[in-house]
Amino acid sequence: MLEMKNIAKIYRTEAIATHALRDFDLSVADGEFVTVTGPSGSGKTTFLNIAGLLEDPTDGTYKLDGEEVGQLNDRAKSRIRNEKIGFIFQSFNLIPDLDVTDNIDVPLRYRGLPGAERSKRIRDALEIVGLASRQHHLPSQLSGGQQQRVAIARALAGRPRFLLADEPTGNLDSEMASQVIALLDDINAQGTTIIMVTHDMSLAGHGGREVRLLDGRLASPDDAETLAATGTGV
Amino acid sequence: MPDLEIRPILGTMRRNPVGAILIALQVAFTLGVVANSLFIINDRIGLINRPTGFDIDNIVTVQSTLLDDPADKLQQVRTDIEALEAIPGVIAATSVTQLPLSNSGSGTELFASADPNAPEVNGARFTMTETGLDAMGLTLAEGRWFREDEIKLPSTYGDPINVVIVTRVMADALFPDGNALGATVYDHLRRPVTLIGIVEHMQGSWISWQHLDNNIFTPQVPMQRFARYVIRTEPGSLDQVMSQVEPTLAATEPRRIVQRLRPYSEIRDRTYTEHRAMAIMLGVVSVLLIIVTAVGIVGLVSFVVRQRTRQIGTRRAIGAQRLHIVRYFLVENWLMTTGGAIVGMALAFGVNYWLANLFSLPRLDPWYLPAGLVILWLVGLLSVFAPARRAARISPAIATRGAAL
């Protein structure tokens, strides 16, 4: 269960204060697939960063599985990111000098799992994403879709309770994007909670529930005109 | 046991070898030079700090040349010594013909038997008076020192002598089975001399001579107008005594030139100037090389941190703690340093072989290699620590921003 209440995020410089999120409330139940949409600058990525403990909220409370996590220290947040959260990034964020196996192994090493357990998890994850035959390939030897599947395998190998996807199809052609979305559907069907931030309106509400952001807050029906004008209509 | 990520780090270095190779080569070169430098420095310091066997820090030396031939040179020397010993703070004074550690002087040889085939034992020859033992601060191991009636004014230093004293090393060289005290030894003309005393230890004149500790004492005073005196003072009285030496000698005989009044430590320092200069130069070169290596490591790691900013952010996003990031760079650098050090050890042997042939140095003690390795490990770890900490402070939120890794 993910629960945010009155979350605010303000980026301050000497000259200005930018309200990236304000009065933001959201609850995501276990096993949900939630898509978060909104125009550029609406606060999608800020929301994802806070949800993934990559950034601290300026205000509000954030509970993950009932535990207040917003103000934990860096070490505790790193541990939660490693054990409970899986990340899928728009640019895949694979480490270019490591082959597929070693890329998937990175978070498992941080968890301190023994070698045999890590190997099994890597094999299982590669089976799920259909890349078992590419385990010794470097990212540069894979297509964009394959790279994103490796990134998904990296996230899955940690067996996370929450999978946070940041525009996971943003850098893929439509065929590869479909494959990735189908894969996310399968993962969600296995019980993993997925929150997917996307700009792509064809994916809005894909998992059954859509959250729309506008100007750093949840969009209301009054915002329909604005959202329509930005191409992210109601 | 924490996971040090050694295999993936090695894989990364294999795919991006240039930086690692440059640092490894720099470390190899530095280790080769530093290990040899430490060895040579230690060798030189060891030479300089060898025990002299005499009270070097409390001795003043002075040289006197009479303007006229003295009526009785032996008496003149005795008068001078008595006057010098009367200076407050002086323990004893003696005349000598040459100074230990001065790199100049003369030597002679003694034989354990009159047999023409008996092996000769060489040593530096020091003529002293009955006050020589106290004036030098020597330790008499066996027998006795010269009596006043045994002191002669020779017409040449080849004049026959009745008694002789040698250092322990010289006695053992003459009589390996012991029993040197009281034995008859033979001078360079195979004339018999009685060995009446053994001095525990005294370094001789030529610091690079292999028989530096072989020394012979004979009961004579310097010939003709020249005399050199050694004056031993109470601890802390050196400066005060030095100020009195010249007026004291002038009072006993004004028609003389007094020269080279100096503390004995100055003679030793002058003799070892080259050794000290070599040690300092090698020390400076080593420190500079280590600084250059450290700067190279800081530069490379800083560059890599900038290059891998997003990668580091991604590692943080997927669970790396700050400790993991710091440790990654420390291990990566440790592997580079160790790789370079292994090459450097071979290089060190090569450099030593070359230096040993060029300067007739002893072979490198193998312990200097691990010592150099430890120094470079420490330099590497200290150098990498600041940029690694900067890397660890990279926000994990970098991972969700645009641009490729």
Side-chain angles (χ1 to χ4, degrees):
Chain A
M1 177 92 176
L2 179 154
E3 211 172 353
M4 290 182 173
K5 276 197 190 317
N6 299 320
I7 290 290
K9 181 68 181 176
I10 304 169
Y11 295 105
R12 295 179 196 280
T13 65
E14 282 183 14
I16 54 165
T18 306
H19 291 258
L21 278 181
R22 62 180 96 192
D23 295 332
F24 183 83
D25 295 337
L26 181 69
S27 281
V28 179
D30 289 346
E32 268 197 286
F33 191 143
V34 177
T35 53
V36 179
T37 60
S40 293
S42 61
K44 298 191 300 293
T45 299
T46 300
F47 156 71
L48 195 82
N49 285 348
I50 291 171
L53 304 182
L54 305 181
E55 285 186 86
D56 294 331
T58 310
D59 202 3
T61 59
Y62 173 27
K63 289 183 178 175
L64 207 56
D65 286 339
E67 181 189 4
E68 169 62 48
V69 293
Q71 303 302 327
L72 290 175
N73 65 27
D74 185 79
R75 193 172 174 184
K77 280 190 285 195
S78 297
R79 193 168 291 148
I80 291 174
R81 285 198 299 269
N82 185 250
E83 294 177 1
K84 288 193 174 182
I85 301 171
F87 283 97
I88 302 169
F89 303 100
Q90 180 177 358
S91 302
F92 325 133
N93 290 24
L94 298 175
I95 294 169
D97 298 319
L98 299 181
D99 66 17
V100 167
T101 298
D102 285 340
N103 260 292
I104 299 170
D105 202 19
V106 170
L108 305 182
R109 283 178 182 271
Y110 295 143
R111 202 181 291 191
L113 295 175
E117 171 70 10
R118 299 199 323 258
S119 298
K120 181 179 180 311
R121 287 186 179 216
I122 292 167
R123 275 198 308 276
D124 291 349
L126 282 172
E127 285 293 336
I128 292 170
V129 300
L131 285 173
S133 62
R134 306 292 170 97
Q135 58 181 319
H136 297 306
H137 282 58
L138 289 172
S140 59
Q141 296 169 312
L142 300 173
S143 69
Q146 287 171 327
Q147 287 187 53
Q148 194 57 297
R149 279 151 61 194
V150 173
I152 293 170
R154 178 174 67 186
L156 288 181
R159 295 179 187 161
R161 304 245 302 103
F162 303 92
L163 197 57
L164 305 183
D166 180 23
E167 305 273 10
T169 59
N171 284 358
L172 303 178
D173 63 32
S174 57
E175 187 184 334
M176 287 183 179
S178 301
Q179 289 174 10
V180 166
I181 293 300
L183 188 55
L184 293 179
D185 285 338
D186 288 346
I187 293 163
N188 178 237
Q190 301 296 318
T192 305
T193 306
I194 296 180
I195 299 172
M196 179 172 71
V197 165
T198 182
H199 202 73
D200 183 352
M201 286 314 295
S202 68
L203 297 174
H206 172 82
R209 183 174 163 207
E210 179 189 4
V211 172
R212 296 182 195 180
L213 284 172
L214 182 67
D215 295 336
R217 55 185 171 74
L218 288 173
S220 66
D222 297 340
D223 296 319
E225 199 173 310
T226 308
L227 289 167
T230 60
T232 53
V234 181
Chain B
M1 176 70 182
D3 186 344
L4 300 180
E5 302 182 71
I6 289 176
R7 194 182 52 76
I9 289 173
L10 285 174
T12 299
M13 286 199 295
R14 201 173 62 245
R15 293 185 180 100
N16 298 287
V18 177
I21 287 173
L22 285 176
I23 290 297
L25 284 177
Q26 195 169 1
V27 167
F29 179 73
T30 303
L31 181 81
V33 174
V34 168
N36 277 283
S37 296
L38 285 178
F39 174 62
I40 294 170
I41 290 168
N42 203 31
D43 182 59
R44 299 300 159 107
I45 290 172
L47 274 180
I48 294 167
N49 289 334
R50 287 177 296 183
T52 61
F54 58 96
D55 191 11
I56 192 164
D57 294 322
N58 294 304
I59 290 178
V60 177
T61 73
V62 67
Q63 189 173 305
S64 157
T65 309
L66 298 170
L67 297 180
D68 311 305
D69 288 330
D72 182 346
K73 175 67 185 298
L74 182 57
Q75 187 51 49
Q76 179 65 55
V77 169
R78 289 197 183 288
T79 304
D80 285 349
I81 289 173
E82 279 170 22
L84 290 169
E85 287 185 335
I87 297 173
V90 170
I91 294 172
T94 183
S95 60
V96 291
T97 44
Q98 66 189 55
L99 294 169
L101 305 183
S102 62
N103 264 352
S104 77
S106 62
T108 187
E109 58 271 1
L110 292 177
F111 300 86
S113 81
D115 181 348
N117 296 320
E120 66 177 30
V121 178
N122 293 291
R125 175 176 172 156
F126 296 88
T127 65
M128 291 190 191
T129 64
E130 70 277 10
T131 52
L133 188 74
D134 289 339
M136 291 296 292
L138 299 170
T139 302
L140 189 64
E142 291 181 46
R144 64 172 178 85
W145 190 254
F146 304 124
R147 292 193 308 261
E148 185 179 338
D149 61 286
E150 289 168 334
I151 309 301
K152 309 285 184 204
L153 174 66
S155 57
T156 74
Y157 290 119
D159 282 2
I161 49 172
N162 298 322
V163 292
V164 71
I165 296 170
V166 298
T167 51
R168 165 82 70 193
V169 173
M170 180 103 185
D172 291 344
L174 282 163
F175 300 97
D177 298 330
N179 303 319
L181 185 66
T184 299
V185 293
Y186 298 85
D187 70 9
H188 62 292
L189 297 175
R190 296 299 201 280
R191 294 171 299 197
V193 188
T194 304
L195 201 160
I196 60 162
I198 298 173
V199 166
E200 188 58 51
H201 171 64
M202 189 186 88
Q203 288 188 321
S205 299
W206 313 284
I207 59 167
S208 301
W209 191 36
Q210 58 175 330
H211 299 306
L212 176 65
D213 296 338
N214 279 11
N215 293 301
I216 303 162
F217 304 89
T218 59
Q220 293 165 319
V221 293
M223 298 182 300
Q224 300 161 345
R225 299 178 181 180
F226 174 81
R228 184 180 280 128
Y229 296 105
V230 166
I231 307 150
R232 180 159 164 245
T233 68
E234 302 277 3
S237 302
L238 197 83
D239 291 338
Q240 184 263 323
V241 168
M242 277 183 73
S243 68
Q244 295 300 311
V245 168
E246 199 165 343
T248 299
L249 290 174
T252 63
E253 172 52 71
R255 287 187 55 77
R256 70 165 100 206
I257 300 166
V258 176
Q259 293 171 294
R260 299 185 183 178
L261 174 66
R262 59 183 64 139
Y264 211 112
S265 55
E266 204 176 296
I267 295 169
R268 176 190 55 193
D269 293 347
R270 188 173 299 178
T271 300
Y272 285 110
T273 297
E274 277 184 30
H275 294 272
R276 191 173 290 104
M278 171 75 91
I280 290 169
M281 187 195 74
L282 288 174
V284 169
V285 167
S286 296
V287 168
L288 285 177
L289 263 179
I290 286 171
I291 289 171
V292 168
T293 303
V295 168
I297 291 171
V298 170
L300 178 74
V301 178
S302 299
F303 171 74
V304 167
V305 167
R306 275 196 301 277
Q307 197 183 35
R308 294 185 195 163
T309 297
R310 190 123 183 280
Q311 185 186 127
I312 294 162
T314 300
R315 284 179 183 270
R316 296 275 289 127
I318 61 179
Q321 296 168 22
R322 286 182 174 140
L323 170 71
H324 293 132
I325 302 297
V326 171
R327 192 170 67 200
Y328 181 95
F329 284 102
L330 291 178
V331 171
E332 186 178 55
N333 181 265
W334 181 81
L335 289 170
M336 281 189 275
T337 307
T338 305
I342 290 168
V343 177
M345 288 186 191
L347 187 70
F349 267 119
V351 169
N352 175 251
Y353 182 81
W354 175 67
L355 288 175
N357 286 339
L358 202 63
F359 300 113
S360 302
L361 290 173
R363 290 272 174 254
L364 180 65
D365 183 340
W367 281 106
Y368 285 88
L369 298 177
L373 175 66
V374 169
I375 288 172
L376 284 164
W377 271 343
L378 289 175
V379 168
L381 292 179
L382 290 174
S383 306
V384 85
F385 195 67
R389 281 193 58 183
R390 275 202 303 278
R393 285 199 294 266
I394 290 172
S395 166
I398 289 280
T400 56
R401 292 177 198 155
L405 283 179

Coordinates of all heavy atoms in Angstrom, one line a residue, chain A residues 45 49 54-55 74-75 78-79 81-82 87 89 91 93-98 102 106-107 109-110 118 138 154 166, chain B residues 3 5 7-8 11-12 15-16 310-311 314-322 324-325 395-397 399-400 403 405:
Chain A
T45 N 7.2 13.6 -13.0 CA 8.5 13.0 -12.6 C 8.8 13.3 -11.1 O 9.3 12.5 -10.4 CB 9.6 13.6 -13.5 OG1 9.4 13.2 -14.8 CG2 11.0 13.0 -13.1
N49 N 9.7 10.6 -8.4 CA 10.9 10.7 -7.6 C 10.6 10.5 -6.1 O 11.3 9.9 -5.3 CB 11.6 12.0 -7.8 CG 12.4 12.0 -9.2 OD1 12.5 10.9 -9.8 ND2 12.8 13.1 -9.6
L54 N 13.5 8.9 -4.3 CA 14.7 9.5 -4.9 C 14.8 11.0 -4.5 O 15.9 11.6 -4.5 CB 14.6 9.5 -6.4 CG 14.4 8.1 -7.1 CD1 14.3 8.2 -8.6 CD2 15.5 7.1 -6.6
E55 N 13.7 11.6 -4.1 CA 13.7 12.9 -3.5 C 12.8 13.0 -2.3 O 11.9 12.2 -2.2 CB 13.1 13.9 -4.6 CG 14.1 14.2 -5.7 CD 13.5 15.3 -6.6 OE1 13.7 16.5 -6.3 OE2 12.8 15.0 -7.6
D74 N 19.3 8.6 4.6 CA 19.6 8.1 3.3 C 19.8 6.6 3.2 O 19.4 5.9 2.3 CB 20.9 8.8 2.9 CG 21.3 8.5 1.5 OD1 20.7 9.1 0.6 OD2 22.2 7.6 1.3
R75 N 20.4 6.0 4.3 CA 20.7 4.6 4.3 C 19.4 3.8 4.3 O 19.3 2.8 3.5 CB 21.6 4.3 5.5 CG 22.2 2.9 5.5 CD 23.1 2.8 6.6 NE 23.7 1.4 6.7 CZ 24.5 1.0 7.6 NH1 24.8 1.8 8.6 NH2 24.9 -0.2 7.6
S78 N 17.8 4.0 0.9 CA 18.5 3.2 -0.1 C 18.0 1.7 0.1 O 17.8 1.0 -0.9 CB 20.0 3.3 0.1 OG 20.4 4.6 -0.1
R79 N 17.9 1.3 1.3 CA 17.5 -0.1 1.6 C 16.1 -0.3 1.1 O 15.8 -1.4 0.4 CB 17.6 -0.4 3.1 CG 17.6 -1.8 3.4 CD 18.0 -2.1 4.8 NE 19.4 -1.9 5.0 CZ 19.9 -1.5 6.2 NH1 19.1 -1.2 7.2 NH2 21.2 -1.3 6.3
R81 N 14.5 1.3 -1.3 CA 14.6 1.3 -2.8 C 15.1 0.0 -3.3 O 14.6 -0.5 -4.3 CB 15.6 2.4 -3.3 CG 15.0 3.8 -3.2 CD 15.8 4.8 -4.1 NE 17.2 4.9 -3.7 CZ 17.7 5.8 -2.9 NH1 16.9 6.7 -2.3 NH2 19.0 5.9 -2.6
N82 N 16.1 -0.5 -2.6 CA 16.7 -1.8 -3.1 C 15.8 -3.0 -2.9 O 15.7 -3.9 -3.7 CB 18.0 -2.0 -2.3 CG 18.8 -3.2 -2.8 OD1 18.8 -4.2 -2.1 ND2 19.3 -3.1 -4.0
F87 N 12.7 0.0 -10.4 CA 12.6 1.2 -11.3 C 12.8 0.8 -12.7 O 13.6 0.0 -13.1 CB 13.7 2.2 -10.9 CG 13.4 3.0 -9.7 CD1 14.0 2.6 -8.5 CD2 12.6 4.1 -9.7 CE1 13.8 3.4 -7.3 CE2 12.4 4.9 -8.6 CZ 13.0 4.5 -7.4
F89 N 13.3 3.0 -16.2 CA 13.5 4.4 -16.7 C 13.3 4.5 -18.2 O 13.5 3.6 -18.9 CB 15.0 4.8 -16.3 CG 15.3 4.7 -14.9 CD1 16.1 3.6 -14.4 CD2 14.9 5.7 -14.0 CE1 16.4 3.5 -13.1 CE2 15.3 5.6 -12.6 CZ 16.0 4.5 -12.2
S91 N 15.1 6.0 -20.3 CA 16.4 5.8 -21.1 C 17.0 4.5 -20.7 O 18.2 4.3 -20.9 CB 17.3 6.9 -20.9 OG 16.7 8.1 -21.2
N93 N 18.7 3.2 -18.6 CA 19.7 3.4 -17.5 C 20.5 2.1 -17.2 O 20.7 1.8 -16.0 CB 19.1 4.0 -16.2 CG 18.6 5.4 -16.4 OD1 18.4 5.9 -17.5 ND2 18.5 6.1 -15.3
L94 N 20.8 1.4 -18.2 CA 21.7 0.2 -18.0 C 23.1 0.7 -18.0 O 23.4 1.8 -18.5 CB 21.5 -0.8 -19.1 CG 20.1 -1.4 -19.3 CD1 20.1 -2.3 -20.5 CD2 19.7 -2.2 -18.0
I95 N 24.0 0.0 -17.3 CA 25.4 0.4 -17.2 C 26.1 -0.1 -18.4 O 26.1 -1.4 -18.6 CB 26.0 -0.1 -15.9 CG1 25.2 0.7 -14.7 CG2 27.5 0.2 -15.8 CD1 25.5 0.2 -13.4
P96 N 26.6 0.8 -19.2 CA 27.1 0.3 -20.6 C 28.2 -0.6 -20.6 O 28.4 -1.4 -21.5 CB 27.5 1.6 -21.3 CG 27.6 2.6 -20.2 CD 26.7 2.2 -19.1
D97 N 29.1 -0.6 -19.5 CA 30.2 -1.5 -19.5 C 30.0 -2.8 -18.9 O 30.9 -3.7 -18.8 CB 31.4 -0.8 -18.7 CG 31.8 0.5 -19.3 OD1 31.9 0.5 -20.6 OD2 32.0 1.5 -18.6
L98 N 28.7 -3.1 -18.4 CA 28.4 -4.3 -17.8 C 27.5 -5.1 -18.7 O 26.6 -4.5 -19.4 CB 27.7 -4.1 -16.5 CG 28.5 -3.4 -15.4 CD1 27.6 -3.3 -14.1 CD2 29.8 -4.1 -15.1
D102 N 25.5 -8.9 -15.5 CA 26.0 -8.0 -14.4 C 25.1 -6.8 -14.2 O 25.1 -6.3 -13.0 CB 27.4 -7.6 -14.8 CG 28.4 -8.7 -14.6 OD1 28.1 -9.6 -13.9 OD2 29.5 -8.6 -15.3
V106 N 23.5 -5.9 -10.3 CA 23.9 -4.7 -9.5 C 23.1 -4.5 -8.2 O 23.6 -4.5 -7.1 CB 23.9 -3.4 -10.4 CG1 24.1 -2.2 -9.5 CG2 25.0 -3.5 -11.5
P107 N 21.7 -4.5 -8.3 CA 21.0 -4.2 -7.1 C 21.0 -5.4 -6.2 O 20.9 -5.3 -4.9 CB 19.5 -4.0 -7.6 CG 19.5 -4.5 -8.9 CD 20.8 -4.5 -9.5
R109 N 23.6 -7.4 -5.6 CA 24.8 -7.3 -4.9 C 24.7 -6.3 -3.7 O 25.1 -6.6 -2.6 CB 26.0 -6.8 -5.8 CG 26.5 -7.8 -6.7 CD 27.6 -7.2 -7.6 NE 28.2 -8.2 -8.5 CZ 29.2 -9.0 -8.3 NH1 29.8 -9.0 -7.1 NH2 29.7 -9.8 -9.2
Y110 N 24.0 -5.2 -4.0 CA 23.8 -4.2 -2.9 C 23.0 -4.8 -1.7 O 23.1 -4.4 -0.6 CB 23.1 -2.9 -3.4 CG 23.9 -2.2 -4.4 CD1 23.3 -1.5 -5.5 CD2 25.3 -2.1 -4.2 CE1 24.1 -0.8 -6.4 CE2 26.1 -1.4 -5.1 CZ 25.5 -0.7 -6.2 OH 26.2 -0.1 -7.1
R118 N 21.7 -15.1 -6.2 CA 21.7 -14.0 -7.3 C 21.6 -14.6 -8.7 O 20.8 -14.2 -9.5 CB 22.9 -13.1 -7.2 CG 23.0 -12.4 -5.8 CD 24.0 -11.2 -5.9 NE 25.1 -11.4 -6.7 CZ 26.4 -11.7 -6.3 NH1 26.6 -11.9 -5.0 NH2 27.4 -11.8 -7.1
L138 N 26.4 -7.0 -24.2 CA 26.5 -5.6 -23.6 C 25.2 -4.8 -24.0 O 24.6 -5.2 -25.1 CB 27.7 -4.9 -24.1 CG 29.0 -5.4 -23.6 CD1 30.2 -4.7 -24.4 CD2 29.2 -5.1 -22.1
R154 N 16.1 -6.3 -14.4 CA 16.8 -5.8 -13.3 C 15.9 -5.5 -12.1 O 16.2 -5.8 -11.0 CB 17.7 -4.6 -13.7 CG 18.5 -4.0 -12.6 CD 19.4 -2.9 -13.1 NE 18.6 -1.7 -13.6 CZ 19.1 -0.7 -14.2 NH1 20.4 -0.6 -14.4 NH2 18.3 0.3 -14.6
D166 N 9.0 5.0 -15.4 CA 9.0 6.4 -15.9 C 9.1 6.4 -17.4 O 10.1 6.2 -18.0 CB 10.3 7.1 -15.3 CG 10.4 8.6 -15.7 OD1 9.3 9.2 -16.1 OD2 11.5 9.1 -15.7
Chain B
D3 N 30.4 -7.4 -0.4 CA 30.7 -7.7 -1.9 C 31.5 -6.5 -2.4 O 31.0 -5.4 -2.5 CB 29.3 -7.8 -2.6 CG 29.5 -8.3 -4.0 OD1 30.6 -8.1 -4.5 OD2 28.5 -8.7 -4.6
E5 N 32.5 -6.2 -5.5 CA 32.3 -6.0 -6.9 C 33.5 -6.1 -7.8 O 33.6 -5.4 -8.8 CB 31.6 -4.7 -7.2 CG 30.3 -4.5 -6.4 CD 29.6 -3.2 -6.7 OE1 29.1 -3.1 -7.9 OE2 29.6 -2.3 -5.9
R7 N 34.8 -8.5 -9.8 CA 34.7 -9.0 -11.1 C 34.0 -8.0 -12.1 O 34.6 -7.7 -13.2 CB 33.9 -10.3 -11.2 CG 34.0 -11.1 -12.5 CD 33.2 -12.4 -12.5 NE 31.8 -12.1 -12.1 CZ 30.9 -11.6 -12.9 NH1 31.2 -11.3 -14.1 NH2 29.6 -11.4 -12.5
P8 N 32.9 -7.4 -11.7 CA 32.4 -6.3 -12.6 C 33.3 -5.1 -12.8 O 33.4 -4.6 -13.9 CB 31.0 -5.9 -12.0 CG 30.8 -6.7 -10.8 CD 32.0 -7.7 -10.6
G11 N 35.8 -6.1 -15.3 CA 35.2 -6.1 -16.6 C 35.1 -4.7 -17.1 O 35.4 -4.5 -18.3
T12 N 34.7 -3.8 -16.3 CA 34.6 -2.4 -16.7 C 36.0 -1.8 -17.1 O 36.2 -1.2 -18.2 CB 34.1 -1.5 -15.6 OG1 32.7 -2.0 -15.3 CG2 34.0 -0.1 -16.0
R15 N 37.1 -3.1 -20.5 CA 36.4 -2.4 -21.6 C 36.8 -1.0 -21.8 O 36.7 -0.4 -22.9 CB 34.9 -2.5 -21.5 CG 34.4 -4.0 -21.6 CD 32.9 -4.1 -21.5 NE 32.5 -5.5 -21.6 CZ 32.2 -6.3 -20.5 NH1 32.1 -5.8 -19.3 NH2 31.9 -7.6 -20.7
N16 N 37.3 -0.4 -20.7 CA 37.8 1.0 -20.8 C 39.2 1.0 -20.2 O 39.4 1.5 -19.1 CB 36.9 1.9 -20.0 CG 35.5 2.0 -20.5 OD1 35.3 2.5 -21.6 ND2 34.6 1.3 -19.9
R310 N 25.4 10.0 -14.2 CA 24.0 9.4 -14.3 C 24.1 7.9 -13.9 O 23.1 7.4 -13.3 CB 23.5 9.6 -15.7 CG 22.1 9.3 -15.9 CD 21.3 10.4 -16.5 NE 19.9 10.1 -16.6 CZ 19.4 9.4 -17.5 NH1 20.2 8.9 -18.5 NH2 18.1 9.1 -17.6
Q311 N 25.1 7.3 -14.2 CA 25.3 5.9 -13.9 C 25.3 5.7 -12.3 O 24.7 4.8 -11.8 CB 26.6 5.3 -14.4 CG 26.8 3.9 -14.2 CD 28.2 3.5 -14.7 OE1 28.9 2.9 -14.0 NE2 28.5 3.8 -16.0
T314 N 21.9 6.2 -11.1 CA 21.1 5.0 -11.3 C 21.4 4.0 -10.2 O 20.5 3.3 -9.7 CB 21.4 4.4 -12.7 OG1 21.0 5.4 -13.6 CG2 20.6 3.2 -12.9
R315 N 22.7 3.8 -9.9 CA 23.1 2.8 -8.9 C 22.4 3.2 -7.6 O 21.9 2.4 -6.8 CB 24.6 2.8 -8.7 CG 25.3 2.1 -9.8 CD 26.8 2.1 -9.6 NE 27.6 1.5 -10.7 CZ 27.9 0.2 -10.7 NH1 27.5 -0.6 -9.7 NH2 28.6 -0.4 -11.7
R316 N 22.5 4.5 -7.3 CA 21.8 5.0 -6.0 C 20.3 4.7 -6.1 O 19.7 4.3 -5.1 CB 22.0 6.5 -5.8 CG 23.5 6.9 -5.6 CD 23.9 6.7 -4.2 NE 23.3 7.8 -3.4 CZ 22.7 7.6 -2.3 NH1 22.5 6.4 -1.8 NH2 22.2 8.6 -1.6
A317 N 19.7 4.9 -7.3 CA 18.2 4.7 -7.4 C 17.9 3.3 -7.1 O 16.8 3.0 -6.6 CB 17.8 5.2 -8.7
I318 N 18.7 2.4 -7.6 CA 18.3 1.0 -7.5 C 18.9 0.3 -6.2 O 18.9 -0.9 -6.0 CB 18.7 0.1 -8.7 CG1 20.2 0.2 -8.9 CG2 18.0 0.6 -9.9 CD1 20.7 -0.7 -10.2
G319 N 19.3 1.2 -5.3 CA 19.6 0.7 -3.9 C 21.0 0.8 -3.4 O 21.3 0.4 -2.3
A320 N 21.9 1.4 -4.2 CA 23.3 1.6 -3.6 C 23.3 2.6 -2.5 O 22.7 3.7 -2.6 CB 24.2 2.1 -4.7
Q321 N 23.9 2.3 -1.4 CA 24.1 3.3 -0.3 C 25.3 4.1 -0.7 O 26.1 3.7 -1.5 CB 24.3 2.6 1.0 CG 23.0 1.8 1.5 CD 23.3 0.9 2.6 OE1 24.2 1.1 3.4 NE2 22.5 -0.1 2.8
R322 N 25.5 5.2 0.0 CA 26.7 6.1 -0.3 C 27.9 5.2 0.0 O 28.9 5.4 -0.8 CB 26.7 7.3 0.6 CG 25.6 8.3 0.2 CD 25.6 9.5 1.0 NE 24.7 10.5 0.4 CZ 23.9 11.3 1.1 NH1 23.9 11.2 2.4 NH2 23.1 12.1 0.5
H324 N 28.4 2.2 -0.6 CA 28.6 1.3 -1.8 C 29.4 2.1 -2.9 O 30.3 1.5 -3.6 CB 27.3 0.8 -2.4 CG 26.6 -0.2 -1.5 ND1 25.3 -0.1 -1.2 CD2 27.1 -1.3 -0.8 CE1 24.9 -1.1 -0.3 NE2 26.0 -1.8 -0.1
I325 N 29.0 3.3 -3.1 CA 29.6 4.1 -4.1 C 31.0 4.4 -3.8 O 31.9 4.3 -4.6 CB 28.8 5.4 -4.4 CG1 27.3 5.1 -4.7 CG2 29.5 6.3 -5.4 CD1 27.1 4.4 -6.0
S395 N 22.8 12.8 -6.4 CA 21.4 12.5 -6.0 C 20.9 11.3 -6.9 O 21.1 11.3 -8.1 CB 20.5 13.7 -6.3 OG 19.2 13.3 -6.2
P396 N 20.2 10.4 -6.3 CA 19.6 9.3 -7.1 C 18.5 9.9 -8.1 O 18.2 9.2 -9.1 CB 18.9 8.4 -6.0 CG 18.8 9.2 -4.8 CD 19.9 10.2 -4.9
A397 N 18.0 11.1 -7.8 CA 17.0 11.6 -8.7 C 17.6 11.9 -10.1 O 16.9 12.1 -11.1 CB 16.4 12.9 -8.1
A399 N 18.8 9.9 -12.0 CA 18.4 8.7 -12.8 C 17.2 9.0 -13.7 O 17.0 8.4 -14.7 CB 18.2 7.5 -11.9
T400 N 16.3 9.9 -13.2 CA 15.1 10.1 -14.0 C 15.2 11.3 -14.9 O 14.2 11.7 -15.5 CB 13.9 10.3 -13.0 OG1 14.2 11.4 -12.1 CG2 13.6 9.0 -12.2
A403 N 19.1 12.3 -21.0 CA 20.4 12.0 -21.5 C 20.8 10.6 -21.1 O 20.4 10.0 -20.1 CB 21.4 13.0 -20.9
L405 N 23.4 7.3 -20.3 CA 24.5 7.0 -19.3 C 25.8 7.2 -19.9 O 26.1 6.9 -21.0 CB 24.3 5.6 -18.8 CG 23.2 5.3 -17.9 CD1 23.2 3.8 -17.5 CD2 23.4 6.1 -16.6

